[in-house]
Structure formats: C-alpha cells, structure tokens
Amino acid sequence: MDVERVRSDFPILRKGLIYLDSAASSLTPEPVLSKMLEFYREYRANVERGVHRLSVRATEEFEAARREVAGLIGASPEEIVFTKNTTEALNLVAAGREWGRGENVVTTLLEHHSNLLPWRRPGVEVRVVRPDREGRLDPGEFERAVDDRTGVVALTHLSNVLGTLSPVEEVAEIASEHGAWLVVDGAQSVPHREVDVRRLGCTFLAFSGHKMLGPTGVGVLYGRREELGRLSPLCPGGGTVREVTSGGHEFLEPPARLEGGTPPIAEAVGLGEAVRYLKSVGLESIRRHEEALTRRMLEELWELEGLEVYGTPPEEERGGIVSFNVEGMDPHEVASLLDTSAGVLVRSGHHCAMPLHLELLGRPQGSVRASLYLYNTAEEVERFLEAVGEIARSLR
Ligand code: PMP
C-alpha cells in the first residue's frame, strides 16, 4: 500500500496534524467529496419517484451506491437499508422486531451504548456476557447464556475500546441452534477489514459511513432477506408504501419500506464512492498496514512505565485501536496535552462504553484511545509514542 499516495487524497492531512481518532470518525478523501459535489452540481433531484432525467440519474447513482455497499460485505442490494448511522440501524432492528413474551437478549460487556440501550425494552431481559479482563469473549459463555427464549444475540465485531475481535462465527452457530437473531455491530470492523456476512453467519450487520471515509449522516443496516422482511418500519410514510387508501395501506418490500421519506442521497452516493476507494486500496492491505502500526504502538506502550494499557498483548490479533491511561492523570488532560504539545489528536473519555470502563477495567474516568487507519504512517506512530513517553516521564 502506498501510504503517501493515499495521504495526498486527504485535504485535512495537509494541516500537519497526526490524526489518531478514526474510530470516532474517519477523514474523507477528495474522490468522495467530488462525488457528493457532482450530485449537487449535476443531477440534484429526489430519488425513486421521478421520471424526469435528473431524478432518473439520481436514482441510478443512489442504487449504484447500494450495490457497492452490498458487494463490500457479500450481500445482495435488497438486503441493504440506508440509515443515518449504526445507532439508527440497531434501533431499526430492536424497534422493528415483534418481541415475544418472556424473550431475552444476550449481549456483552464490551458493547458500545448503541448496541446495548436499544435492547432495553419492556418485558425483555438483557443478559450480559463478560469477557476476560483483556477483552476476550469465550463462546462457552454464550452457550450458557443463550436459550430457547433468546430472541437476539447482539454482539460487537471489534471492540471500539480494546480493539479485540469477537468470536462471531462461533456465536452465530449458538444463536442459530436456538433460533435467535445474531445482530452484529460492525462499526469498527467493516471500515478496516474484509467482512462477509454469509461467512460471519449474522442475521443483521450495522455500520456507519462516517467511519469508513464516507460522509456523516449515512449508515447501513444489512439484514438477511427473510428477517429484514419481518421488521416493521420505524418511520412509515412516503416511499415505504405500494398502495394507500384513505383507510389503509400496503407496504413495499424492504429496503424501501424501511427507508421512510427522502433518504440521505448525497451521503449515500458519497458512501458508494468511499467503498470504491476502500476496494481500490484493498481491505486486506489496509488491515495489514494497521496491524503493523498497532503492533509497534502496543510494544512500546506496553513497556512504558506509568502507563496502563488495555486489551490483549501485542502479539495477539486485534484491530487498530489502543486504549490506555497515564497513571495519575485524567484521560482528557492527556488528550489535551497530546494535541497542544505534539499535534496528536486522540480521543478521551468512556467512548460510549461505560459498562466496560466501570465493570471490566474499573476506570470510571475512562481512557485515552488512539485509533489508526489507512492514512497513518510509521513516523506518526513514532511521534505519538515520543509524546506519550514525555507525558509519562514528566510525572515520575
Ligand atoms: N458501535 C461502535 C462499536 C462504535 O464504535 C460506534 C461509534 N463510536 C457506534 C456503534 C455508533 O456509531 P454512530 O455514532 O455512527 O451511530
């Protein structure tokens, strides 16, 4: 992978900052920006319902984006619903499902709040599987937690705090043995590695455009065709129906029935271009690039005195996310210092994973999180490590 070539596509990088916050939101390359501008400049019109040439072109581009997204994860286009973000995608499943009496949801202590709160529904018991202290989930724990009253197993693919990978394929088998849906939060995996929904065995997969070089305002819900058809629309209205009379209506098939109102057209078209961009660089190359940088980062941080580093040790596979605390310092203070002293931008706080910080790490103040993407370099990692080292030494 030619990192310098990649970097030249990202205008924000010309500011000379070291952006290590892609897990919160990624940067956007020129081809994506141009594609969205092209929509506004050349064929700006509403989709699906028009017969004039601009509407036809807008619809073609919008549907082409859906095909790109489907192709990325091994799905078919009818299984792709455009949403606002991951959070909305997960809520679409939780609110659209017809819950049976006495059903339960099995989830984990690693989850982002967006894959926990939507499952807290009246009459539904939420069972939380605990990983070990480093964030490894044991499929045996799911075997014990899942039973025939389990409606949904909701699981993150890659932890947004620890970077650890979940045993999704094993959990898929357990969920399927009990007839439960497996809902995977792919917000941190789909942008960074090859993900195939059939291989994973998930029923639903949610992810966000803004974490994968796309614009804000668009996300994706993949749903296996039959199960998608069983969700009732969260937002019924224009675009969701085949026929309406003054007293009744008949909904269209998914995805249309789940995309009420005018969708985020420019954003979806931009996301389609982001997917083309990711494919042209190659997700396997991106994964390997991040893996090398992460290993270097972890090996050094692991050895630094005065630092507490979370997640699995450097030699174990994980995504490009590293969270830590400098002993005796508030994480926000560390993040602020890294910005002002070295132009290194990292995130601090609980990263929308309070149960993990409170109940697994015992760190109510949260942590500092550095996260990598295809445009980060080995030199940036060295500068980050030096800056963290200086902060840690200043407290000795
Ligand atoms: N799940 C995970 C694992 C995440 O990292 C995030 C974003 N921090 C979300 C869900 C929520 O994504 P969004 O804010 O785009 O809905």
Side-chain angles (χ1 to χ4, degrees):
M1 198 181 93
D2 183 346
V3 188
E4 285 313 318
R5 257 238 60 226
V6 165
R7 287 174 69 80
S8 67
D9 286 329
F10 290 82
I12 286 190
L13 292 176
R14 287 174 215 144
K15 290 180 187 292
L17 297 166
I18 298 178
Y19 190 73
L20 297 180
D21 196 20
S22 295
S25 205
S26 73
L27 304 178
T28 311
E30 281 296 353
V32 172
L33 298 173
S34 309
K35 189 73 190 169
M36 286 193 289
L37 270 180
E38 182 192 78
F39 163 74
Y40 284 112
R41 287 187 169 139
E42 292 183 28
Y43 55 92
R44 197 215 179 295
N46 213 330
V47 288
E48 313 292 359
R49 292 174 283 277
V51 293
H52 66 72
R53 67 190 79 180
L54 293 189
S55 180
V56 168
R57 171 88 192 276
T59 305
E60 275 169 12
E61 295 278 358
F62 183 67
E63 292 305 326
R66 196 191 302 277
R67 287 195 296 277
E68 284 293 348
V69 170
L72 179 74
I73 56 167
S76 54
E78 312 81 67
E79 296 175 311
I80 300 298
V81 181
F82 285 122
T83 63
K84 192 168 68 176
N85 48 36
T86 302
T87 308
E88 189 180 72
L90 294 166
N91 273 284
L92 208 58
V93 182
R97 179 184 163 88
E98 200 177 314
W99 293 92
R101 275 172 71 86
E103 279 196 312
N104 65 68
V105 171
V106 173
T107 185
T108 82
L109 197 58
L110 294 177
E111 305 306 316
H112 188 282
H113 299 161
S114 293
N115 199 23
L116 180 61
L117 303 189
W119 308 114
R120 292 189 174 162
R121 315 196 68 79
V124 174
E125 179 200 353
V126 177
R127 301 177 177 169
V128 180
V129 167
R130 285 183 73 93
D132 69 11
R133 163 91 186 169
E134 278 77 45
R136 296 179 203 88
L137 286 164
D138 172 5
E141 294 287 331
F142 287 87
E143 257 157 30
R144 281 183 280 283
V146 177
D147 60 24
D148 289 342
R149 300 303 300 152
T150 304
V152 169
V153 178
L155 175 63
T156 186
H157 193 183
L158 202 153
S159 161
N160 70 316
V161 179
L162 305 177
T164 42
L165 281 153
S166 304
V168 177
E169 293 169 36
E170 287 96 320
V171 175
E173 272 185 34
I174 298 165
S176 139
E177 274 162 28
H178 292 274
W181 288 355
L182 174 63
V183 180
V184 173
D185 176 350
Q188 299 295 347
S189 60
V190 174
H192 301 274
R193 52 184 55 231
E194 285 173 356
V195 171
D196 182 294
V197 287
R198 315 265 178 235
R199 212 172 307 142
L200 276 187
C202 59
T203 324
F204 293 95
L205 175 74
F207 50 102
S208 296
H210 69 93
K211 294 186 199 281
M212 51 193 289
L213 312 184
T216 58
V218 65
V220 174
L221 174 67
Y222 152 82
R224 221 187 272 155
R225 198 188 297 245
E226 317 83 75
E227 279 81 5
L228 206 51
R230 288 170 57 193
L231 295 183
S232 52
L234 196 60
C235 189
T240 63
V241 275
R242 178 172 292 121
E243 196 175 298
V244 186
T245 62
S246 56
H249 57 266
E250 190 196 333
F251 283 117
L252 285 163
E253 294 300 310
R257 69 191 288 177
L258 299 168
E259 292 177 346
T262 299
I265 308 169
E267 290 78 4
V269 168
L271 174 57
E273 193 62 25
V275 170
R276 279 179 213 115
Y277 190 96
L278 288 171
K279 281 186 190 160
S280 75
V281 178
L283 276 142
E284 181 51 20
S285 306
I286 295 173
R287 189 194 65 76
R288 280 204 303 266
H289 174 71
E290 288 177 22
E291 185 181 52
L293 298 184
T294 309
R295 184 153 300 167
R296 167 72 192 125
M297 205 181 239
L298 270 175
E299 277 168 358
E300 178 89 8
L301 292 181
W302 215 257
E303 297 301 324
L304 260 185
E305 250 183 80
L307 229 66
E308 191 174 62
V309 187
Y310 307 113
T312 46
E315 61 278 9
E316 277 183 50
E317 192 194 356
R318 65 145 93 183
I321 293 177
V322 176
S323 295
F324 61 95
N325 269 305
V326 178
E327 281 162 24
M329 260 179 110
D330 185 83
H332 295 305
E333 209 182 329
V334 177
S336 232
L337 262 175
L338 285 172
D339 181 3
T340 50
S341 71
V344 173
L345 313 184
V346 296
R347 189 134 294 238
S348 49
H350 51 66
H351 321 301
C352 295
M354 277 183 141
L356 184 159
H357 279 96
L358 293 169
E359 294 169 42
L360 188 70
L361 305 180
R363 292 290 171 269
Q365 76 276 29
S367 58
V368 182
R369 179 183 71 187
S371 53
L372 296 153
Y373 212 179
L374 72 169
Y375 34 67
N376 293 119
T377 65
E379 193 201 334
E380 287 183 324
V381 170
E382 295 310 319
R383 282 174 57 197
F384 159 78
L385 291 170
E386 269 166 40
V388 175
E390 264 172 40
I391 294 172
R393 279 189 296 277
S394 72
L395 291 176
R396 307 255 101 200

